[in-house]
Amino acid sequence: MMKIFKTQRTLKDYLSSIQGEFEVGFVPTMGSLHQGHLSLIQNAKKRCDIVVCSIFVNPTQFNKVSDFTNYPKDSLEDIELLQTAGCDILFLPNDVNEVYQNEEKVSLELGNIVNVLEGEHRPGHFDGVIRVVKLLFDIVQPDKAFFGLKDFQQFLVIQKMAKVLNMEIEVLGCDIIREDNGLAMSSRNKRLSNIELKNALVLQKALHHCKNNFGKIGLQDLQAECFGILQKESEPEYFEICDAESLLPITEESHSENIRALTATSIGEIRLIDNIEIV
Ligand code: PAF
């Protein structure tokens, strides 16, 4: 039976009674769970003895109030899904203060990876993500933490945060889980109409076009073609081909061994992100 804790005090007390004995895996979420989240729970179960999940819709990471208020919330269904997936512990705080009480503000130097792409297009977003993940890591003190690679930049930012703060937490990225038609699973997909769901396949089209034509045509032309594909069905913000560690855009002269294409585009009101490994 999954244990549910609503306060950080009771969760910390329970965890401190078992920590040391068991390896703890942590999956932080904002709820509205789908197969992508459940695959993180499965990954955590494979690698750890105890799996802790948190559901907390963090207001400080939304740069638009409407995005926060419209974010889908259904904790009863989420609890059932977690229970079935074999999650051991759920942290389900009732209000913002439960998480943010006693926050000690830290200012971190994380470099280029926080300022580009999502950092540039959603001002303040990563400040909010860093604040809440640091607080949650301090509460749960896991050995390993699991994040989906759909939010590839978020994964890099959290990995670097843990390193800079000398946290003894292994931050692991897990494969993107997709619908049969290739659409990356996201809580935001629930807000797409049937027509918008079809239009959302344009992200896949653009990313695959990039992968299939990489090295065959000039980078700038390739990027422009991918942006053009997105424009047919959506309103793209960016399509960038980057070094997968620094997120610096690659040029004809760079010698990156790991390259990723990352994109954000809006289908009607809904903003979606996705990415693909190029090499
Ligand atoms: O990816 C998410 O769902 C959120 O950004 C996270 C990591 C749970 C922090 O609120």
Side-chain angles (χ1 to χ4, degrees):
M1 196 62 183
M2 181 170 72
K3 289 189 189 314
I4 302 179
F5 295 92
K6 299 214 163 187
T7 66
Q8 49 165 296
R9 183 72 271 145
T10 50
L11 174 63
K12 275 183 183 166
D13 285 350
Y14 179 74
L15 286 173
S16 63
S17 72
I18 58 166
Q19 246 144 1
E21 245 178 282
F22 298 107
E23 191 163 51
V24 174
F26 180 39
V27 179
T29 80
M30 297 205 296
S32 187
L33 303 179
H34 49 69
Q35 283 306 320
H37 297 110
L38 300 181
S39 82
L40 299 179
I41 301 283
Q42 278 146 19
N43 267 296
K45 276 178 77 68
K46 266 189 227 145
R47 293 188 165 86
C48 304
D49 306 310
I50 300 276
V51 178
V52 182
C53 175
S54 62
I55 297 180
F56 175 61
V57 186
N58 171 38
T60 67
Q61 72 186 73
F62 289 86
N63 55 320
K64 279 192 189 155
V65 178
S66 61
D67 196 21
F68 174 60
T69 38
N70 292 328
Y71 200 84
K73 300 168 188 85
D74 188 348
S75 40
L76 279 182
E77 198 182 320
D78 287 344
I79 290 171
E80 264 175 40
L81 284 170
L82 287 174
Q83 200 126 325
T84 314
C87 178
D88 300 295
I89 296 173
L90 170 61
F91 180 42
L92 186 63
N94 270 336
D95 71 81
V96 177
N97 284 341
E98 189 50 52
V99 174
Y100 278 90
Q101 58 180 301
N102 310 327
E103 181 188 17
E104 280 172 38
K105 285 247 173 76
V106 284
S107 129
L108 298 176
E109 194 33 78
L110 301 184
N112 184 62
I113 57 167
V114 279
N115 298 325
V116 294
L117 309 174
E118 293 299 285
E120 184 183 338
H121 289 266
R122 299 184 69 190
H125 168 66
F126 283 127
D127 292 340
V129 170
I130 291 165
R131 281 175 71 185
V132 78
V133 175
K134 180 182 178 298
L135 286 163
L136 292 169
F137 277 4
D138 286 343
I139 296 168
V140 178
Q141 299 189 13
D143 298 286
K144 293 180 169 47
F146 297 80
F147 294 86
L149 290 181
K150 180 177 74 66
D151 297 280
F152 185 77
Q153 188 176 7
Q154 167 174 278
F155 161 69
L156 289 184
V157 167
I158 292 169
Q159 203 175 42
K160 185 130 184 218
M161 174 200 82
K163 191 169 168 210
V164 167
L165 290 171
N166 291 319
M167 289 174 145
E168 284 180 16
I169 300 171
E170 194 182 346
V171 177
L172 295 157
C174 303
D175 287 345
I176 302 175
I177 304 297
R178 298 182 179 279
E179 304 286 355
D180 290 343
N181 61 15
L183 180 65
M185 292 202 184
S186 162
S187 307
R188 290 192 165 85
N189 294 353
K190 289 185 185 161
R191 293 174 56 206
L192 295 169
S193 67
N194 284 345
I195 293 176
E196 288 172 336
L197 274 169
K198 272 202 191 131
N199 291 344
L201 299 182
V202 77
L203 282 102
Q204 272 292 288
K205 260 191 226 158
L207 291 167
H208 279 283
H209 183 79
C210 184
K211 190 171 172 86
N212 295 338
N213 291 289
F214 184 80
K216 295 186 189 154
I217 58 171
L219 274 170
Q220 279 191 353
D221 288 343
L222 179 57
Q223 195 177 345
E225 283 183 11
C226 295
F227 202 85
I229 293 174
L230 290 171
Q231 273 176 320
K232 287 192 190 139
E233 318 279 359
S234 67
E235 284 173 56
E237 283 178 21
Y238 63 81
F239 188 100
E240 298 283 348
I241 308 168
C242 302
D243 175 86
E245 275 167 37
S246 65
L247 293 186
L248 289 168
I250 58 155
T251 62
E252 308 290 351
E253 289 76 41
S254 31
H255 300 285
S256 297
E257 284 179 8
N258 300 311
I259 297 174
R260 256 186 202 252
L262 301 99
T263 186
T265 197
S266 290
I267 314 282
E269 298 277 285
I270 313 303
R271 184 179 188 277
L272 298 177
I273 60 171
D274 200 351
N275 66 82
I276 196 168
E277 185 182 59
I278 302 289
V279 286

